[in-house]
Amino acid sequence: MKKTLKHLFSLFAVFALVFAIGTEAMAAKAGKTLKNTKKKGFVKCGVSQGVPGFSNADASGNWTGIDVDVCRAVAAAVLGDAGKVKFTPLSAKERFTALKSKEIDVLSRNTTWTLSRDGGIGLTFNGVNFYDGQGFMVTKASGITSVNGLNGVSACVNIGTTTELNMRDFFNSKGFKYEPVVFEQADEVVAAYDSGRCDTYTTDKSGLAAQRTKLSDPTAHVVLPETISKEPLGPVTREGDENWSDIVRWSLNVMIEAEELGITSSNADAMKTSENPAIKRLVGAEGETGAALALDQEWSLRIIKQVGNYGESYERNVGPDTPVGLSRGPNAQWINGGILYANPTR
Amino acid sequence: MIFKNHILRANEFIAERPKLQYYLPQALTLFFIVFVIGYFSFNAGVNMEDQGMETGFSFLGGEAQFDIQFHLIDYHGGMTYGRAYLVGLLNTILVAVLGIFFATILGVTIGIARLSTNFLVSRIAEWYVEMFRNIPLLLQLFFWYFAALRALPPPKESYIFFDFAILNIKGLYIPEFVWTNFNAFFYSILVSIVIVVLFIIWAKKIQERTGKQYRKFAISSGIIIIIPFLSIIIGGVGLEFIHPELKQISETIFNYEGGSKAIPELLALVVALAMYTSTFIAECVRAGIEGITKGQKEAAASIGLTPGQILRLVIIPQALRIIIPPTTNQYLNLTKNSSLAAAIAYPDIVLVFAGTALMQTGRAIEIISITMLSYLTLSITISILMNWYNKKMAIKEK
């Protein structure tokens, strides 16, 4: 009996020690994400499980896409190398938990910026890298040419997205009947729609364009012209580390402003001698932009040289010459009639 | 050195008090458990506050804003998350009940078939068991949903059975039942059940007293058929069917409207769960029957019981004692396995509540706790019912 008690005491002591250490390690405070990232040597980035053009891995595991480029820009700014990113593919359902549990530090996964997400669940949205909207895809044979023909259909949709809510708003506002068929994985949604279980497949239009490439006969389907919602997609960080959120926000901003000012990955070095102070600031030849983010002076230059400006990233991943084939539309610069408008980097 | 003395003294102190010796370790264990739970809750609370997360269960009263394909109670997106939870829970219960029902019937049939003296029948049963219990359930589920049900025709070319049930890729439709004077019919069934119960009690007493036996089964079925039948004639009970109608939505899209509908996701889930679990139940049944020694049968025959009576009065009551406990496990497994529903879009509690609702509210800890508690409650309810039945079947020593 005495022995049992002694064992119990020592066991207790060991546990107390372990947990005391645990508490200290878990109490991360502001600014720590940057320090940790530098210590680890890579940026922890959450992406999708495969949306061509946005975040998609090829056969050898190289990630490409405009969402991927945001993480690469952050890595170029913070670590000096756009290749130092560890990508974690996440489902729509897992993404916020992964970010909040510090499994990832940046979530760049076609995520819609909404009030409830920004305010209610401890997230910070850092700008918009793609202006999207929800649409519907149907078979060409169905003869449906407008969303007004969708009364009584069954609609396949992905779980845990704003899509699920917009769909209800849309059908309700029209007074239409519908049947929502909700799947956890994007591939299952595509399979169910392809087999005829659903009459329509609804998600963001960029997603429809990307997923259409996976259908058995992509040419037999059309995306209806109407857009039923606003979906500003952008990179997300945890609340509580303003410094890190600023780095992500301004890394994206640099890419957008570089396009506006005509700075590309190939002419960035030459631009150092430009007459325009805005250009000089962006390539690090004037002002002290890095200090405000606790970064060095060349952070923005590295982003432009290694990742390119927003336009380059767009054309490379989702532009008209890619399989996704999306024209710039609202994602053109404001000076070209779009709504892409970078804040001044100064 | 001083410290060592203290410990020695403390040991002496404890050794002199047997009651303390008994309670102290238990108190320490209790303290330890409370400490660990408290520590984790506290830690979670601090971390959540750090991250600006709200906590609490008030979100259950908020508007859900999403629709659910299949609901047993009235539901639309304007109702609360609490209501959506209830819809998901009921859908889970529906699958569990249907699954257990069909798994039991299938399992008992296959189990008895395996003992058949007919070579072909017993071999087929054996193959069935070996095949379906050795393939992972998720794969079977995908097979039934993505392969088997996909072979069904679109609504316009539906299979129609007896002008009653309609089967196509969007589900199984049956007409809506419209009763007139349903109450008269309902009460007549209730009354006939009461009469049958009273009759059986009375017949048993007579048998115990005089040894006279009534044909209980025949008389009881007679009562259950005749009384409701009379109520239909006298009480003017009527039943009408409202058949689902085929509606054209566009050039190629047709859907049935009206009637009652079982969605294909439910069909696939029930088929997969029932077939998978039935193999285990079949083995339980076989074990139960084979566990009765031959002597029992011979002894029963020697006192003049008929083969039917031997089965009913000697074999089955004893076999059930062996069958019930492992079958309870299978019922519990089936209920928990029903959570795979989320993979094929059946709106059970995991898909609706731990899926959509969790995503929309971000209340991971609260929602997962509620979901776990729900499964726990369901499982314990099944356990209690089965244990009660088991006790009823156990040997009662007189």
Side-chain angles (χ1 to χ4, degrees):
Chain A
M1 181 50 70
K2 279 179 204 161
K3 243 187 181 167
T4 326
L5 271 183
K6 260 188 204 163
H7 279 301
L8 218 60
F9 270 124
S10 51
L11 195 74
F12 193 77
V14 167
F15 267 98
L17 205 68
V18 166
F19 282 101
I21 292 166
T23 328
E24 205 177 28
M26 277 178 222
K29 287 282 173 275
K32 243 187 171 171
T33 315
L34 177 61
K35 278 187 223 160
N36 282 342
T37 305
K38 280 184 170 166
K39 204 159 70 189
K40 283 210 178 67
F42 57 84
V43 172
K44 294 190 284 181
C45 174
V47 289
S48 77
Q49 290 160 320
V51 180
F54 286 81
S55 45
N56 201 20
D58 64 14
S60 50
N62 293 321
W63 285 89
T64 53
I66 61 166
D67 285 344
V68 165
D69 281 350
V70 173
C71 286
R72 294 211 184 280
V74 173
V78 172
L79 302 167
D81 182 352
K84 287 185 176 168
V85 187
K86 190 188 146 212
F87 293 102
T88 307
L90 298 167
S91 75
K93 197 177 148 186
E94 297 158 349
R95 53 186 165 178
F96 301 131
T97 318
L99 180 63
K100 282 186 293 188
S101 63
K102 303 188 183 176
E103 200 181 316
I104 56 170
D105 289 328
V106 187
L107 176 70
S108 188
R109 189 205 173 282
N110 44 332
T111 303
T112 306
W113 186 353
T114 64
L115 177 122
S116 61
R117 286 174 177 175
D118 200 353
I121 54 180
L123 306 174
T124 298
F125 283 78
N126 305 292
V128 176
N129 72 330
F130 195 89
Y131 288 96
D132 210 340
Q134 186 172 342
F136 290 91
M137 181 155 65
V138 292
T139 57
K140 270 184 191 157
S142 70
I144 295 176
T145 53
S146 141
V147 291
N148 292 320
L150 290 173
N151 195 358
V153 294
S154 54
C156 275
V157 69
N158 222 355
I159 194 175
T161 52
T162 43
T163 322
E164 221 180 327
L165 310 185
N166 294 332
M167 179 173 71
R168 167 170 178 266
D169 289 351
F170 165 75
F171 283 107
N172 270 9
S173 67
K174 293 264 178 191
F176 287 177
K177 277 187 195 156
Y178 78 112
E179 182 190 62
V181 187
V182 184
F183 287 90
E184 210 159 64
Q185 307 274 343
D187 283 344
E188 282 153 16
V189 186
V190 176
Y193 168 69
D194 213 6
S195 68
R197 168 68 183 92
C198 303
D199 306 312
T200 181
Y201 171 19
T202 178
T203 186
D204 295 348
K205 279 184 157 179
S206 62
L208 288 177
Q211 302 292 4
R212 187 160 71 164
T213 58
K214 293 183 186 168
L215 292 171
S216 53
D217 179 12
T219 56
H221 302 269
V222 296
V223 176
L224 298 178
E226 293 91 342
T227 303
I228 64 160
S229 72
K230 292 184 288 184
E231 306 286 339
L233 312 179
V236 193
T237 50
R238 270 186 303 280
E239 234 166 56
D241 188 344
E242 291 312 313
N243 168 245
W244 184 252
S245 300
D246 287 345
I247 290 172
V248 174
R249 178 179 297 117
W250 288 95
S251 294
L252 169 63
N253 202 69
V254 160
M255 289 177 69
I256 299 172
E257 200 177 9
E259 188 193 15
E260 185 187 335
L261 297 172
I263 314 172
T264 66
S265 52
S266 46
N267 72 5
D269 276 325
M271 286 292 195
K272 278 183 181 166
T273 54
S274 164
E275 300 286 298
N276 186 340
I279 292 178
K280 283 178 99 171
R281 272 198 297 275
L282 215 56
V283 294
E286 200 180 294
E288 287 191 355
T289 56
L293 300 173
L295 295 174
D296 63 278
Q297 186 62 13
E298 304 235 294
W299 69 284
S300 50
L301 177 68
R302 285 196 300 271
I303 293 176
I304 302 168
K305 276 172 73 175
Q306 296 182 14
V307 185
N309 66 34
Y310 182 85
E312 288 177 270
S313 171
Y314 193 99
E315 296 305 322
R316 190 166 64 221
N317 296 306
V318 294
D321 298 334
T322 63
V324 181
L326 293 170
S327 59
R328 283 297 282 266
N331 293 295
Q333 290 284 344
W334 63 288
I335 43 176
N336 299 330
I339 51 175
L340 215 59
Y341 183 99
N343 305 329
T345 307
R346 65 180 309 161
Chain B
M1 212 52 210
I2 296 169
F3 188 59
K4 202 180 166 193
N5 278 340
H6 276 291
I7 289 179
L8 282 175
R9 225 178 295 154
N11 277 344
E12 260 168 46
F13 181 77
I14 292 164
E16 283 162 12
R17 288 164 179 79
K19 262 201 175 160
L20 192 64
Q21 242 180 51
Y22 179 74
Y23 284 113
L24 192 60
Q26 310 211 24
L28 281 175
T29 314
L30 183 72
F31 174 76
F32 180 67
I33 292 171
V34 169
F35 172 77
V36 168
I37 294 174
Y39 174 79
F40 281 122
S41 323
F42 174 74
N43 213 351
V46 168
N47 281 336
M48 284 166 75
E49 208 174 309
D50 264 7
Q51 292 166 23
M53 284 165 75
E54 297 167 48
T55 47
F57 291 92
S58 55
F59 74 92
L60 284 172
E63 197 184 319
Q65 300 180 62
F66 62 90
D67 285 323
I68 300 172
Q69 182 190 185
F70 180 75
H71 40 86
L72 296 172
I73 48 173
D74 191 33
Y75 175 83
H76 59 78
M79 293 182 170
T80 61
Y81 283 113
R83 187 80 176 181
Y85 160 75
L86 218 57
V87 169
L89 182 66
L90 286 174
N91 284 348
T92 292
I93 293 175
L94 176 71
V95 164
V97 169
L98 288 176
I100 286 174
F101 178 74
F102 288 113
T104 309
I105 291 177
L106 252 176
V108 170
T109 313
I110 302 287
I112 290 172
R114 272 202 80 168
L115 295 170
S116 167
T117 45
N118 184 323
F119 177 78
L120 202 62
V121 169
S122 66
R123 269 313 95 106
I124 289 175
E126 190 185 339
W127 270 99
Y128 173 89
V129 168
E130 292 307 333
M131 200 163 84
F132 284 103
R133 77 169 171 184
N134 287 316
I135 298 173
L137 179 56
L138 188 62
L139 285 184
Q140 292 192 34
L141 199 54
F142 281 144
F143 170 78
W144 289 111
Y145 187 61
F146 282 110
L149 285 176
R150 286 293 164 264
L152 292 175
K156 208 179 167 213
E157 292 128 40
S158 300
Y159 299 132
I160 297 175
F161 304 102
F162 312 113
D163 210 17
F164 183 76
I166 300 159
L167 183 66
N168 62 48
I169 194 167
K170 296 208 173 140
L172 175 70
Y173 299 75
I174 57 166
E176 198 178 324
F177 292 14
V178 180
W179 294 88
T180 39
N181 283 338
F182 179 73
N183 281 351
F185 182 65
F186 180 73
Y187 286 123
S188 71
I189 286 181
L190 222 62
V191 167
S192 56
I193 288 173
V194 170
I195 293 176
V196 164
V197 169
L198 289 175
F199 164 69
I200 287 174
I201 293 171
W202 177 77
K204 231 180 190 172
K205 268 192 186 154
I206 295 288
Q207 190 187 342
E208 272 169 18
R209 202 149 22 109
T210 66
K212 188 174 182 318
Q213 288 190 33
Y214 288 92
R215 312 195 63 185
K216 273 182 253 164
F217 184 75
I219 294 173
S220 305
S221 349
I223 294 170
I224 287 210
I225 292 168
I226 291 167
I227 294 181
F229 186 72
L230 283 178
S231 83
I232 291 173
I233 298 173
I234 301 165
V237 175
L239 172 62
E240 259 179 272
F241 295 140
I242 299 182
H243 290 274
E245 276 173 57
L246 189 63
K247 288 230 168 112
Q248 181 161 18
I249 289 164
S250 82
E251 281 167 35
T252 59
I253 300 177
F254 292 84
N255 272 339
Y256 275 98
E257 264 180 34
S260 308
K261 176 186 180 188
I263 55 175
E265 290 77 24
L266 174 66
L267 300 180
L269 193 62
V270 169
V271 169
L273 283 173
M275 292 190 85
Y276 181 72
T277 315
S278 72
T279 61
F280 296 97
I281 293 178
E283 291 295 90
C284 297
V285 169
R286 185 168 72 104
I289 294 175
E290 285 194 332
I292 308 300
T293 54
K294 215 171 146 195
Q296 291 277 342
K297 209 169 161 186
E298 288 168 355
S302 74
I303 59 167
L305 296 180
T306 65
Q309 282 175 322
I310 293 174
L311 195 70
R312 199 158 44 85
L313 300 172
V314 179
I315 307 287
I316 290 181
Q318 296 188 78
L320 275 178
R321 283 179 207 140
I322 307 174
I323 295 171
I324 294 169
T327 302
T328 306
N329 283 340
Q330 297 310 325
Y331 288 174
L332 295 177
N333 280 346
L334 187 143
T335 307
K336 288 175 285 179
N337 284 341
S338 74
S339 62
L340 289 174
I344 58 161
Y346 177 74
D348 76 331
I349 186 170
V350 173
L351 187 86
V352 168
F353 196 59
T356 305
L358 193 158
M359 284 320 308
Q360 305 302 353
T361 59
R363 305 295 178 84
I365 291 180
E366 294 90 332
I367 285 182
I368 296 294
S369 314
I370 294 176
T371 310
M372 290 200 300
L373 268 179
S374 305
Y375 274 107
L376 193 67
T377 311
L378 274 183
S379 294
I380 287 176
T381 310
I382 293 174
S383 282
I384 288 173
L385 285 176
M386 291 303 286
N387 286 344
W388 168 78
Y389 187 55
N390 193 30
K391 228 174 234 167
K392 228 176 111 48
M393 286 294 142
I395 301 172
K396 287 183 201 81
E397 309 228 349
K398 289 186 180 168

